[in-house]
């Protein structure tokens, strides 16, 4: 039998439409690759400044939210062959913000953002067009500010204690102040304990903030701690990864101490130092940025899974969810409580005792992993001291700002004050005006 | 029994044993033939902990004004002294100290093979050994004054050289020695009993074990023991009353000059080294403390008739420090950078050229031979040439 005869004939039109579809796919893949590369490049670049790294936090929170929604969709009946996640989102809102990965600068769904509505005035439309190329940037910075504020509330006290423990520890050695010998180490130990305690909570609290889009939800202590307790193994994994990801960062942070002692660089000017280190830290950011985002996204996935399981087993009440979470889970028809079947009392006692022991062990193991994280900071500062910057900002937890220029070449205080000034101008003054207007109207 | 109260048999036994041991004790034999030392006394000030020229002898940036503005007028400043850039020659405190006292660069390794250990032993004689072999100078008059944090440097008092060694060692003043003295004394006086005594004995054994060559089985000798007795009477036993850090070294040296009358003394200052851990002010403050110490030492010497116009000071750092433009704290010293090899030396005192500045490149290994020339011994195993420009 002729093999070709068994193949059904293909019409020319079908063939051309298949070719067109194939070329569209290629184009779409090429476009996606370009966009991915752009987002990666922009992310690494933004890690070089304080303001930029605030935007990176905001962007990573928006991405985390998208990943959480995608996770819930993937666990729902809405996931069917041929239907993509974006189709599901578009079905509810054609201009849904998560149809694509979050933008760095311009508004999501840019064409919609600059489309003039019938009731928009000319001035309003002009303002809309002016704002559109920067709307995502403003959103990223706003969310980032909320994010870093929350993280600082819980982690900054520990970082400040570290800074003073280092200062006082060596001050004590220098002055041979045996009478105060305990102060430096005690402050350090207190700081380490505080940080470990905070980091048991912070990753999932960050995820809650990211997924819910509400910065206040960061402080739902009982809700978040409940998730940590039920998913301690995942939190242990997250702590392990954070500590592991921190190793190359600490090496990169310390490396200039080693290659800067060479004769070639001995006589370079401050301007040349800044130029050289700008290049170096920009290159480093190509690793820092993805590691930072990976940790945020992984935390969001753990959170999304925890919430879904909690809701479906009845451990989390629907009323404990934020409005956004409730809406998304309802849309996906995931709010179905299936309480676990009742078991014999002895089995229940055995299970709860075992899980309590396991949780205790897991908690200690997680604490140990966060301790290894802190130990890396102390060790790296032992090899090369970076001033207050090295203690007060840990790029995988707080700002992903990875640029350690020596203060004698370029003092970071100038950038810090400029950032505060810009933020006050862009967010503070409009907020103040709104508040005043509100008061006047009242 | 003899008329002198010594049994005849005991007397003969002692004489026989003494005669038999005499050929095996060159130091004992030589002591009788060695002349007394009558040359100038020498005070070596290790401007230690590693310092750069910038913060010491550069008038625009100095934190050592006495050294930079006053002492340089009284002696010869070697502005471009270096530690030779040779394979294996490291720029650190222990190594630098040995380069100074032996006049020879060497690749030093910890004798116990410990990681990051700095217990070195010189293969060629130290200046202390040369002095004591040539002249009738007791060990308590050749002294090293050492800081409390670097016990390894307590044992740079003698080399492994077959013709020199422990018989010609110098003695040491430090808190480590004081603590050892205190424990020995208090155990002997029966201050502790039972478990506490056992613990104190263990503490003493631990301190004694640091001296694994076991050179001081019975303590530091009567002069040093009396020195510590007076120290204890003055400052007590707590360690909370006496000065601390490099100020302690100054105080020990001043007391040693008054009480032990050393002919050759080396003060191993070290405070600037605390810059390693980030507080730049520890470095500059350390330099200022040494500078103040120098001022006090010079004043002490000038106030003492026996030392005035008869004492030469040699001020030299153990090593330089990096000038690393990429680091927040630019002055480490373990990377062997050019700057960490760059040091200086200042020699002043009677017979030395005054207000002279030598721009020519000179070497740290020349210090030992120059001290030899000042004191009248030949440091034959030292490498560097004598710093001739310093002699008036």
């Amino acid at each position: 039998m002729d093999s070709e005869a068994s193949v059904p004939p293909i019409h020319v039109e079908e063939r051309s439409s298949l070719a067109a579809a194939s070329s569209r796919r290629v184009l779409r893949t090429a476009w996606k690759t370009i966009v991915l590369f752009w987002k990666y490049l922009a992310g690494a670049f933004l890690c070089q400044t304080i303001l930029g790294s605030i935007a990176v936090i905001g962007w990573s929170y928006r991405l985390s939210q998208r990943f959480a929604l995608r996770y819930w969709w993937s666990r729902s009946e809405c996931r069917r062959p041929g239907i993509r996640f974006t189709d599901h989102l578009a079905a509810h809102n054609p201009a849904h913000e998560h149809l694509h990965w979050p933008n760095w600068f311009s508004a999501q769904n840019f064409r919609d953002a600059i489309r003039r509505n019938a009731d928009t005035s000319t001035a309003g439309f002009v303002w809309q067009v002016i704002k559109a190329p920067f709307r995502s940037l403003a959103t990223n910075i706003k969310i980032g500010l909320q994010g870093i504020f929350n993280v600082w509330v819980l982690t900054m006290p520990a970082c400040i204690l570290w800074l003073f423990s280092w200062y006082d520890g060596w001050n004590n050695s220098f002055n041979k102040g045996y009478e105060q010998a305990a102060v430096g180490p005690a402050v350090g130990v207190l700081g380490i304990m505080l940080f470990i305690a905070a980091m048991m909570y912070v990753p999932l609290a960050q995820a809650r903030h990211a997924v819910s889009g509400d910065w206040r939800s960061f402080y739902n202590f009982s809700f978040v701690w409940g998730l940590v307790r039920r998913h301690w193994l995942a939190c242990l994994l997250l702590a392990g990864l954070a500590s592991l990801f921190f190793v190359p960062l600490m090496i990169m942070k310390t490396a200039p101490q080693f290659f800067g002692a060479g004769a070639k660089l001995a006589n370079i000017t401050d301007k040349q130092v800044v130029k050289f280190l700008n290049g170096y830290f920009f290159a480093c950011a190509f690793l820092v940025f993805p590691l930072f985002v990976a940790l945020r996204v992984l935390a969001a996935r753990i959170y999304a899974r925890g919430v879904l399981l909690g809701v479906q087993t009845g451990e989390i009440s629907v009323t404990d969810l934020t409005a956004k979470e409730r809406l998304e889970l309802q849309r996906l028809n995931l709010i179905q409580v299936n309480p676990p079947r009742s078991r014999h009392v002895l089995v229940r006692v055995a299970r709860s005792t075992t899980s309590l022991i396991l949780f205790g062990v897991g908690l200690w193991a997680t604490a140990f992993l966060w301790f290894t994280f802190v130990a890396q900071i102390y060790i790296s500062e032992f090899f090369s001291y970076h001033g207050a910057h090295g203690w007060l900002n840990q790029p995988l937890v707080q700002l992903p700002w990875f640029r350690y220029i020596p203060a004698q070449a370029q003092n970071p205080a100038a950038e810090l004050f400029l950032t505060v000034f810009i933020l006050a101008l862009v967010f503070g003054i409009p907020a103040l005006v709104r508040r005043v207007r509100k008061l006047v109207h009242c | 029994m003899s008329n002198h109260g010594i049994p005849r048999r005991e007397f003969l036994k002692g004489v026989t044993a003494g005669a038999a041991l005499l050929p095996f004790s060159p130091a004992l034999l030589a002591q009788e033939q060695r002349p007394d030392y009558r040359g100038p006394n020498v005070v070596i000030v290790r401007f230690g902990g590693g310092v750069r020229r910038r913060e010491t002898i550069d008038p625009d940036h100095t934190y050592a004004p006495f050294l930079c503005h006053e002492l340089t007028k009284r002696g010869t400043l070697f502005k471009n002294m270096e530690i030779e850039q040779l394979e294996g020659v490291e720029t650190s405190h222990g190594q630098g100290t040995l380069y100074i006292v032996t006049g020879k660069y060497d690749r030093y390794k910890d004798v116990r093979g410990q990681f990051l250990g700095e217990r070195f032993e010189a293969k060629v004689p130290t200046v202390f050994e040369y002095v004591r072999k040539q002249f009738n100078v007791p060990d308590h008059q050749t002294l090293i004054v050492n800081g409390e944090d670097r016990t390894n440097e307590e044992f740079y008092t003698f080399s492994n050289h077959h013709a020199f060694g422990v018989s010609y060692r110098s003695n040491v003043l430090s808190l480590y020695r004081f603590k050892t003295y205190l424990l020995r004394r208090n155990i002997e006086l029966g201050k502790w009993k039972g478990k506490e005594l056992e613990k104190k004995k263990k503490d003493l054994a631990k301190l004694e074990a640091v001296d694994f060559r076991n050179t001081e089985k019975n303590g530091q000798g009567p002069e040093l023991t009396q020195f510590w007795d007076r120290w204890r009477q003055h400052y007590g036993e707590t360690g909370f009353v006496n000065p601390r850090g490099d100020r302690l070294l100054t105080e020990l040296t001043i007391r040693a000059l008054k009480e032990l009358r050393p002919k050759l003394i080396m003060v191993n200052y070290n405070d600037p080294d605390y810059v390693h851990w980030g507080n730049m002010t520890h470095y500059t403050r350390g330099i200022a403390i040494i500078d103040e110490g120098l001022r006090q030492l010079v004043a002490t010497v000038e106030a003492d008739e026996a030392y005035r116009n008869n004492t030469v000071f040699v001020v030299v750092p153990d090593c330089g420090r990096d000038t690393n433009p990429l680091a927040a704290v630019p002055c480490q010293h373990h990377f062997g950078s050019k700057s960490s090899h760059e040091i200086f030396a200042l020699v002043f005192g009677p017979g030395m050229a005054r207000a002279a500045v030598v721009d020519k490149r000179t070497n740290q290994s020349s210090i030992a031979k120059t001290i030899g020339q000042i004191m009248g011994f030949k440091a034959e195993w030292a490498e560097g040439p004598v710093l001739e420009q310093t002699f008036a």
Side-chain angles (χ1 to χ4, degrees), chain A residues 218-230:
Chain A
F218 183 92
Y219 301 100
N220 293 151
F221 290 103
S222 61
F223 182 91
V224 174
W225 185 244
L227 280 179
V228 173
R229 272 182 48 216
R230 285 191 292 276

mmCIF file with all atom_site columns, all heavy atoms in Angstrom, chain A residues 218-230:
data_model
loop_
_atom_site.group_PDB
_atom_site.id
_atom_site.type_symbol
_atom_site.label_atom_id
_atom_site.label_alt_id
_atom_site.label_comp_id
_atom_site.label_asym_id
_atom_site.label_entity_id
_atom_site.label_seq_id
_atom_site.pdbx_PDB_ins_code
_atom_site.Cartn_x
_atom_site.Cartn_y
_atom_site.Cartn_z
_atom_site.occupancy
_atom_site.B_iso_or_equiv
_atom_site.pdbx_formal_charge
_atom_site.auth_seq_id
_atom_site.auth_comp_id
_atom_site.auth_asym_id
_atom_site.auth_atom_id
_atom_site.pdbx_PDB_model_num
ATOM 1   N N   . PHE A 1 218 ? 0.069  42.275 55.715 1.00 0.00 ? 218 PHE A N   1
ATOM 2   C CA  . PHE A 1 218 ? 1.376  41.794 56.200 1.00 0.00 ? 218 PHE A CA  1
ATOM 3   C C   . PHE A 1 218 ? 1.326  41.533 57.703 1.00 0.00 ? 218 PHE A C   1
ATOM 4   O O   . PHE A 1 218 ? 2.026  40.670 58.213 1.00 0.00 ? 218 PHE A O   1
ATOM 5   C CB  . PHE A 1 218 ? 2.424  42.859 55.875 1.00 0.00 ? 218 PHE A CB  1
ATOM 6   C CG  . PHE A 1 218 ? 3.837  42.506 56.239 1.00 0.00 ? 218 PHE A CG  1
ATOM 7   C CD1 . PHE A 1 218 ? 4.683  41.889 55.323 1.00 0.00 ? 218 PHE A CD1 1
ATOM 8   C CD2 . PHE A 1 218 ? 4.346  42.805 57.500 1.00 0.00 ? 218 PHE A CD2 1
ATOM 9   C CE1 . PHE A 1 218 ? 5.987  41.584 55.658 1.00 0.00 ? 218 PHE A CE1 1
ATOM 10  C CE2 . PHE A 1 218 ? 5.662  42.492 57.839 1.00 0.00 ? 218 PHE A CE2 1
ATOM 11  C CZ  . PHE A 1 218 ? 6.480  41.882 56.916 1.00 0.00 ? 218 PHE A CZ  1
ATOM 12  N N   . TYR A 1 219 ? 0.471  42.286 58.378 1.00 0.00 ? 219 TYR A N   1
ATOM 13  C CA  . TYR A 1 219 ? 0.454  42.203 59.845 1.00 0.00 ? 219 TYR A CA  1
ATOM 14  C C   . TYR A 1 219 ? -0.647 41.281 60.388 1.00 0.00 ? 219 TYR A C   1
ATOM 15  O O   . TYR A 1 219 ? -0.971 41.357 61.567 1.00 0.00 ? 219 TYR A O   1
ATOM 16  C CB  . TYR A 1 219 ? 0.320  43.605 60.449 1.00 0.00 ? 219 TYR A CB  1
ATOM 17  C CG  . TYR A 1 219 ? 1.456  44.499 60.015 1.00 0.00 ? 219 TYR A CG  1
ATOM 18  C CD1 . TYR A 1 219 ? 1.285  45.428 58.988 1.00 0.00 ? 219 TYR A CD1 1
ATOM 19  C CD2 . TYR A 1 219 ? 2.709  44.383 60.599 1.00 0.00 ? 219 TYR A CD2 1
ATOM 20  C CE1 . TYR A 1 219 ? 2.344  46.231 58.565 1.00 0.00 ? 219 TYR A CE1 1
ATOM 21  C CE2 . TYR A 1 219 ? 3.768  45.176 60.178 1.00 0.00 ? 219 TYR A CE2 1
ATOM 22  C CZ  . TYR A 1 219 ? 3.581  46.103 59.168 1.00 0.00 ? 219 TYR A CZ  1
ATOM 23  O OH  . TYR A 1 219 ? 4.625  46.879 58.754 1.00 0.00 ? 219 TYR A OH  1
ATOM 24  N N   . ASN A 1 220 ? -1.227 40.417 59.539 1.00 0.00 ? 220 ASN A N   1
ATOM 25  C CA  . ASN A 1 220 ? -2.186 39.415 60.046 1.00 0.00 ? 220 ASN A CA  1
ATOM 26  C C   . ASN A 1 220 ? -1.386 38.275 60.687 1.00 0.00 ? 220 ASN A C   1
ATOM 27  O O   . ASN A 1 220 ? -1.208 37.208 60.101 1.00 0.00 ? 220 ASN A O   1
ATOM 28  C CB  . ASN A 1 220 ? -3.051 38.866 58.911 1.00 0.00 ? 220 ASN A CB  1
ATOM 29  C CG  . ASN A 1 220 ? -3.979 39.916 58.345 1.00 0.00 ? 220 ASN A CG  1
ATOM 30  O OD1 . ASN A 1 220 ? -4.337 39.863 57.183 1.00 0.00 ? 220 ASN A OD1 1
ATOM 31  N ND2 . ASN A 1 220 ? -4.374 40.897 59.153 1.00 0.00 ? 220 ASN A ND2 1
ATOM 32  N N   . PHE A 1 221 ? -0.882 38.560 61.883 1.00 0.00 ? 221 PHE A N   1
ATOM 33  C CA  . PHE A 1 221 ? 0.078  37.633 62.486 1.00 0.00 ? 221 PHE A CA  1
ATOM 34  C C   . PHE A 1 221 ? -0.467 36.217 62.648 1.00 0.00 ? 221 PHE A C   1
ATOM 35  O O   . PHE A 1 221 ? 0.186  35.253 62.303 1.00 0.00 ? 221 PHE A O   1
ATOM 36  C CB  . PHE A 1 221 ? 0.554  38.166 63.845 1.00 0.00 ? 221 PHE A CB  1
ATOM 37  C CG  . PHE A 1 221 ? 1.432  39.376 63.708 1.00 0.00 ? 221 PHE A CG  1
ATOM 38  C CD1 . PHE A 1 221 ? 0.943  40.642 63.978 1.00 0.00 ? 221 PHE A CD1 1
ATOM 39  C CD2 . PHE A 1 221 ? 2.742  39.248 63.278 1.00 0.00 ? 221 PHE A CD2 1
ATOM 40  C CE1 . PHE A 1 221 ? 1.756  41.763 63.841 1.00 0.00 ? 221 PHE A CE1 1
ATOM 41  C CE2 . PHE A 1 221 ? 3.560  40.362 63.131 1.00 0.00 ? 221 PHE A CE2 1
ATOM 42  C CZ  . PHE A 1 221 ? 3.062  41.616 63.411 1.00 0.00 ? 221 PHE A CZ  1
ATOM 43  N N   . SER A 1 222 ? -1.685 36.103 63.174 1.00 0.00 ? 222 SER A N   1
ATOM 44  C CA  . SER A 1 222 ? -2.184 34.747 63.445 1.00 0.00 ? 222 SER A CA  1
ATOM 45  C C   . SER A 1 222 ? -2.408 33.993 62.133 1.00 0.00 ? 222 SER A C   1
ATOM 46  O O   . SER A 1 222 ? -2.116 32.797 62.042 1.00 0.00 ? 222 SER A O   1
ATOM 47  C CB  . SER A 1 222 ? -3.467 34.809 64.259 1.00 0.00 ? 222 SER A CB  1
ATOM 48  O OG  . SER A 1 222 ? -4.451 35.500 63.527 1.00 0.00 ? 222 SER A OG  1
ATOM 49  N N   . PHE A 1 223 ? -2.877 34.692 61.115 1.00 0.00 ? 223 PHE A N   1
ATOM 50  C CA  . PHE A 1 223 ? -3.126 34.053 59.817 1.00 0.00 ? 223 PHE A CA  1
ATOM 51  C C   . PHE A 1 223 ? -1.809 33.534 59.227 1.00 0.00 ? 223 PHE A C   1
ATOM 52  O O   . PHE A 1 223 ? -1.690 32.370 58.843 1.00 0.00 ? 223 PHE A O   1
ATOM 53  C CB  . PHE A 1 223 ? -3.778 35.075 58.864 1.00 0.00 ? 223 PHE A CB  1
ATOM 54  C CG  . PHE A 1 223 ? -4.127 34.515 57.529 1.00 0.00 ? 223 PHE A CG  1
ATOM 55  C CD1 . PHE A 1 223 ? -5.387 33.968 57.300 1.00 0.00 ? 223 PHE A CD1 1
ATOM 56  C CD2 . PHE A 1 223 ? -3.215 34.531 56.481 1.00 0.00 ? 223 PHE A CD2 1
ATOM 57  C CE1 . PHE A 1 223 ? -5.709 33.441 56.053 1.00 0.00 ? 223 PHE A CE1 1
ATOM 58  C CE2 . PHE A 1 223 ? -3.533 34.003 55.249 1.00 0.00 ? 223 PHE A CE2 1
ATOM 59  C CZ  . PHE A 1 223 ? -4.783 33.467 55.031 1.00 0.00 ? 223 PHE A CZ  1
ATOM 60  N N   . VAL A 1 224 ? -0.809 34.438 59.185 1.00 0.00 ? 224 VAL A N   1
ATOM 61  C CA  . VAL A 1 224 ? 0.476  34.069 58.552 1.00 0.00 ? 224 VAL A CA  1
ATOM 62  C C   . VAL A 1 224 ? 1.177  32.997 59.381 1.00 0.00 ? 224 VAL A C   1
ATOM 63  O O   . VAL A 1 224 ? 1.703  32.020 58.838 1.00 0.00 ? 224 VAL A O   1
ATOM 64  C CB  . VAL A 1 224 ? 1.369  35.322 58.384 1.00 0.00 ? 224 VAL A CB  1
ATOM 65  C CG1 . VAL A 1 224 ? 2.749  34.933 57.867 1.00 0.00 ? 224 VAL A CG1 1
ATOM 66  C CG2 . VAL A 1 224 ? 0.716  36.324 57.437 1.00 0.00 ? 224 VAL A CG2 1
ATOM 67  N N   . TRP A 1 225 ? 1.172  33.152 60.697 1.00 0.00 ? 225 TRP A N   1
ATOM 68  C CA  . TRP A 1 225 ? 1.844  32.160 61.540 1.00 0.00 ? 225 TRP A CA  1
ATOM 69  C C   . TRP A 1 225 ? 1.165  30.796 61.421 1.00 0.00 ? 225 TRP A C   1
ATOM 70  O O   . TRP A 1 225 ? 1.830  29.754 61.436 1.00 0.00 ? 225 TRP A O   1
ATOM 71  C CB  . TRP A 1 225 ? 1.884  32.639 62.989 1.00 0.00 ? 225 TRP A CB  1
ATOM 72  C CG  . TRP A 1 225 ? 2.673  31.699 63.856 1.00 0.00 ? 225 TRP A CG  1
ATOM 73  C CD1 . TRP A 1 225 ? 2.207  30.955 64.883 1.00 0.00 ? 225 TRP A CD1 1
ATOM 74  C CD2 . TRP A 1 225 ? 4.065  31.384 63.724 1.00 0.00 ? 225 TRP A CD2 1
ATOM 75  N NE1 . TRP A 1 225 ? 3.218  30.199 65.416 1.00 0.00 ? 225 TRP A NE1 1
ATOM 76  C CE2 . TRP A 1 225 ? 4.381  30.437 64.732 1.00 0.00 ? 225 TRP A CE2 1
ATOM 77  C CE3 . TRP A 1 225 ? 5.079  31.795 62.860 1.00 0.00 ? 225 TRP A CE3 1
ATOM 78  C CZ2 . TRP A 1 225 ? 5.654  29.898 64.886 1.00 0.00 ? 225 TRP A CZ2 1
ATOM 79  C CZ3 . TRP A 1 225 ? 6.353  31.262 63.031 1.00 0.00 ? 225 TRP A CZ3 1
ATOM 80  C CH2 . TRP A 1 225 ? 6.626  30.329 64.029 1.00 0.00 ? 225 TRP A CH2 1
ATOM 81  N N   . GLY A 1 226 ? -0.139 30.807 61.247 1.00 0.00 ? 226 GLY A N   1
ATOM 82  C CA  . GLY A 1 226 ? -0.870 29.553 61.024 1.00 0.00 ? 226 GLY A CA  1
ATOM 83  C C   . GLY A 1 226 ? -0.365 28.855 59.763 1.00 0.00 ? 226 GLY A C   1
ATOM 84  O O   . GLY A 1 226 ? -0.142 27.637 59.746 1.00 0.00 ? 226 GLY A O   1
ATOM 85  N N   . LEU A 1 227 ? -0.152 29.651 58.718 1.00 0.00 ? 227 LEU A N   1
ATOM 86  C CA  . LEU A 1 227 ? 0.385  29.078 57.476 1.00 0.00 ? 227 LEU A CA  1
ATOM 87  C C   . LEU A 1 227 ? 1.783  28.516 57.690 1.00 0.00 ? 227 LEU A C   1
ATOM 88  O O   . LEU A 1 227 ? 2.102  27.423 57.201 1.00 0.00 ? 227 LEU A O   1
ATOM 89  C CB  . LEU A 1 227 ? 0.448  30.163 56.392 1.00 0.00 ? 227 LEU A CB  1
ATOM 90  C CG  . LEU A 1 227 ? -0.841 30.508 55.661 1.00 0.00 ? 227 LEU A CG  1
ATOM 91  C CD1 . LEU A 1 227 ? -0.576 31.609 54.645 1.00 0.00 ? 227 LEU A CD1 1
ATOM 92  C CD2 . LEU A 1 227 ? -1.407 29.292 54.950 1.00 0.00 ? 227 LEU A CD2 1
ATOM 93  N N   . VAL A 1 228 ? 2.605  29.283 58.425 1.00 0.00 ? 228 VAL A N   1
ATOM 94  C CA  . VAL A 1 228 ? 3.983  28.824 58.689 1.00 0.00 ? 228 VAL A CA  1
ATOM 95  C C   . VAL A 1 228 ? 3.943  27.500 59.443 1.00 0.00 ? 228 VAL A C   1
ATOM 96  O O   . VAL A 1 228 ? 4.692  26.564 59.120 1.00 0.00 ? 228 VAL A O   1
ATOM 97  C CB  . VAL A 1 228 ? 4.768  29.886 59.501 1.00 0.00 ? 228 VAL A CB  1
ATOM 98  C CG1 . VAL A 1 228 ? 6.135  29.355 59.932 1.00 0.00 ? 228 VAL A CG1 1
ATOM 99  C CG2 . VAL A 1 228 ? 4.937  31.164 58.697 1.00 0.00 ? 228 VAL A CG2 1
ATOM 100 N N   . ARG A 1 229 ? 3.055  27.408 60.417 1.00 0.00 ? 229 ARG A N   1
ATOM 101 C CA  . ARG A 1 229 ? 2.964  26.180 61.217 1.00 0.00 ? 229 ARG A CA  1
ATOM 102 C C   . ARG A 1 229 ? 2.547  24.993 60.374 1.00 0.00 ? 229 ARG A C   1
ATOM 103 O O   . ARG A 1 229 ? 3.088  23.905 60.489 1.00 0.00 ? 229 ARG A O   1
ATOM 104 C CB  . ARG A 1 229 ? 1.968  26.375 62.362 1.00 0.00 ? 229 ARG A CB  1
ATOM 105 C CG  . ARG A 1 229 ? 2.629  26.944 63.606 1.00 0.00 ? 229 ARG A CG  1
ATOM 106 C CD  . ARG A 1 229 ? 1.640  27.092 64.736 1.00 0.00 ? 229 ARG A CD  1
ATOM 107 N NE  . ARG A 1 229 ? 0.857  25.899 64.925 1.00 0.00 ? 229 ARG A NE  1
ATOM 108 C CZ  . ARG A 1 229 ? -0.417 25.876 65.281 1.00 0.00 ? 229 ARG A CZ  1
ATOM 109 N NH1 . ARG A 1 229 ? -1.051 27.026 65.465 1.00 0.00 ? 229 ARG A NH1 1
ATOM 110 N NH2 . ARG A 1 229 ? -1.056 24.754 65.456 1.00 0.00 ? 229 ARG A NH2 1
ATOM 111 N N   . ARG A 1 230 ? 1.545  25.219 59.503 1.00 0.00 ? 230 ARG A N   1
ATOM 112 C CA  . ARG A 1 230 ? 1.032  24.098 58.707 1.00 0.00 ? 230 ARG A CA  1
ATOM 113 C C   . ARG A 1 230 ? 1.985  23.726 57.575 1.00 0.00 ? 230 ARG A C   1
ATOM 114 O O   . ARG A 1 230 ? 1.977  22.599 57.113 1.00 0.00 ? 230 ARG A O   1
ATOM 115 C CB  . ARG A 1 230 ? -0.345 24.463 58.152 1.00 0.00 ? 230 ARG A CB  1
ATOM 116 C CG  . ARG A 1 230 ? -1.448 24.406 59.205 1.00 0.00 ? 230 ARG A CG  1
ATOM 117 C CD  . ARG A 1 230 ? -2.815 24.504 58.584 1.00 0.00 ? 230 ARG A CD  1
ATOM 118 N NE  . ARG A 1 230 ? -3.065 25.801 58.005 1.00 0.00 ? 230 ARG A NE  1
ATOM 119 C CZ  . ARG A 1 230 ? -3.496 26.869 58.679 1.00 0.00 ? 230 ARG A CZ  1
ATOM 120 N NH1 . ARG A 1 230 ? -3.720 26.774 59.971 1.00 0.00 ? 230 ARG A NH1 1
ATOM 121 N NH2 . ARG A 1 230 ? -3.700 28.006 58.069 1.00 0.00 ? 230 ARG A NH2 1
#
